[in-house]
Amino acid sequence: MSDTRRRVKVYTLNEDRQWDDRGTGHVSSTFVERLRGISLLVRAESDGKFPVSIFNNPLSLFQDTLIVWSEADNYDLALSFQEKAGCDEIWERICQVQGRDPALDITQDPIDESEEERFEEIPETSHLVELPPCEQGRLEEIADLVTSVLSSPIRREKLALALMTEGYIKKLLGLFRVCEEVDNREGLHHLYEIVRGVLFLNKAALFEVMFSDDCIMDVVGCLEYDPALVQPKRHREFLTKTAKFKEVIPITDSELRQKIHQTYRVQYIQDIILPTPSVFEENFLSTLTSFIFFNKVEIVSMLQEDEKFLTEVFAQLTDDATEDSKRRELVNFVKEFCAFSQTLQPQNRDAFFKTLANLGILPALEIVMGMDDLQVRAAATDIFSYLVEFSPSMVREFVMQEPQQTDDDVLLINVVIKQMICDSDPELGGAVQLMGLLRTLIDPENMLASTNKTEKTEFLSFFYKYCMHVLTAPLLANTALDKNSKDLQEGSTKVNPVCPDNFQTAQLLALILELLTFCVEHHTYHIKTYIMNKDLLRRVLVLMNSKHTFLALCALRFMRRIIGLKDEYYNRYIIKGNLFEPVINALLDNGTRYNLLNSAIIELFEFIKVEDIKSLIAHIVDNFYKALESIEYVQTFKGLKGRYEQEKDRQSQRLNRSEARLSCAPAKVHTALVGLVDYPDDEDEEEDDEEEDQSPRKRPRLSS
């Protein structure tokens, strides 16, 4: 029968400040002489052991059976004992080692300063960590030491200091070469644990040594011998033989070249070699991330200062004589260069992109984005996205200067639009990215802070004059009016029945409609004029016939945004063109299916009813109510009819009040006016009213 006094549950505190059950086991305690502290080991009942390091950490005792303490940064643990006697035994053992009174519920008195602050006051030579001799026979002891200190910030500091002052890292790496020569696998496994642990010490000073030219490949070599693997990985072989460093333009600065090599290798260690940090280790590699970050900052700064190098890059990029393979490498270099720039501080990033602008990055993009090479175009799109994200105004300023010196077809924005339209990806991944960039460029919200107060007016005028026809060309081409139809009447929405049923075409038209809908919401004057001149809404509503519901919904959303503006100018345009007909046809064709299309159409009419848009209500009831009155599963159309009747009653009442006021005029005035004014008799008035009532009303033209 097992000893139930030492039976415990292990708990850890998660990010939501909730305790997670990590398992059940039996706890034992061990005094570690060299560290002057106590270590606990919980042997799990299911799968071996769960190491728990306490040493000199402050602990708290709760409810006689619960011991709680913190390990590492922001990481709390707890042991819940099955029996009070077992908790008392371990608690007394801990208090004895730490020199505390077991009667107290905490093993450390309150202090005003942190461990780190007190440690900073200790002279550098008075650290307490004594490193074993760097010998093959002591590797296991060294590995145990390095692993054991990771749970305590102060002891990590002391170990890092010891490793630096004694030049211990280079000795360990020399020992690695010896172990590898004699194929000492046990020693190599210990060296893996040691090097991994030293990385987790999270100290920049140690990284400077480990990642130096004469040490980094040995560090990678140590990390190849993970004890969990049957065969070691071949990371050094990949870094030295497979990975090739390409200089698109020769780099003459040896320091810059060394920094690029180092950054690539350290990034490889972080992303590929090191396993995903566990819950105990997630904060241990923050300095490694910072090391890579500042290396990238330094690389960008050094390249930016080398004007001769960058000038040559852009000269070759735009040179017609440059080979395609070379141009591909140049574009990829500029793309990676821009990606590195994201590590810069805002002020330095401003200077970086201004340097690129002065070197001609935008004219270069105009050339390479129009090339046939898909890889070049994709990389150029990424570069363009960095520029738009950095400064839409800079891009807008460049494109507005172009019409003076080039044709419409090669304007940068038109090149972008054409690339979006011609995206060969079945999922239109590149087109979606480009559509987002175009929306950023035409968004008035990021024009407001411009020092140039006329930027919004000038750029939108430019866009609608030179670019909008390119954007809408696929839409107009796929919704062309059927000019050969004999029954085509004025105000009719009959069109060529061939609707874009190709999925990729439908996706493209949906993207274009999304951008046009954005224009309706944010460009009042320009888009309104364009819609009227091109009769654009009629063409868009052709897409209500598409077999792709998402495209029909995009067309409906476009109309919904227009109606949502409650602009009588738009309302008169819709009424005159009888543009509700395709929407109502789609509703009737949908039948009794309660799907998204049905709900969206109902919502459109519900909005008109709730907002009481009188002109549209009168048009809908006068022309379509007979077709809609059978729809009773919602009260929307009856509500429209009610609004319509209420408005007619109000108008009738106003007319009656006006007539009453005239009939109650003073008799003298009435007598004086008799003979001067020829009043129509009552029969004439009734005739006029009858003529008005009998004026022809439109009936729904429901397409077959």
Side-chain angles (χ1 to χ4, degrees), residues 471-480 509 512-513 516 536 539-540 543:
L471 177 65
T472 57
L475 175 64
L476 298 177
N478 283 280
T479 57
L509 295 180
I512 294 172
L513 279 175
L516 291 174
L536 189 63
R539 306 292 285 273
V540 168
L543 301 176

Side-chain angles (χ1 to χ4, degrees), residues 121 161 181 183 225 325 399 425 445 465 522 550 596 632 659:
E121 297 174 2
L161 185 61
E181 285 177 6
D183 197 23
Y225 291 93
S325 58
V399 299
D425 179 8
E445 292 296 322
K465 181 178 180 180
H522 296 87
F550 71 87
L596 188 56
E632 297 181 343
E659 291 176 349

Side-chain angles (χ1 to χ4, degrees), residues 520-538:
V520 168
E521 291 177 315
H522 296 87
H523 306 163
T524 52
Y525 166 73
H526 293 88
I527 188 65
K528 185 190 297 184
T529 303
Y530 191 84
I531 289 173
M532 302 299 174
N533 290 342
K534 299 292 184 181
D535 198 10
L536 189 63
L537 180 56
R538 181 187 308 280

Side-chain angles (χ1 to χ4, degrees), residues 483-536:
K483 296 180 180 179
N484 297 322
S485 178
K486 295 181 180 179
D487 57 351
L488 186 63
Q489 303 173 14
E490 184 179 356
S492 172
T493 54
K494 290 188 177 181
V495 294
N496 191 330
V498 180
C499 197
D501 285 336
N502 175 277
F503 180 71
Q504 191 167 348
T505 302
Q507 279 188 305
L508 174 62
L509 295 180
L511 287 178
I512 294 172
L513 279 175
E514 186 177 339
L515 206 54
L516 291 174
T517 303
F518 178 85
C519 293
V520 168
E521 291 177 315
H522 296 87
H523 306 163
T524 52
Y525 166 73
H526 293 88
I527 188 65
K528 185 190 297 184
T529 303
Y530 191 84
I531 289 173
M532 302 299 174
N533 290 342
K534 299 292 184 181
D535 198 10
L536 189 63

Side-chain angles (χ1 to χ4, degrees), residues 616-629:
L616 296 183
I617 291 174
H619 173 70
I620 294 166
V621 174
D622 282 340
N623 292 275
F624 303 106
Y625 187 69
K626 285 188 177 180
L628 298 171
E629 63 181 343

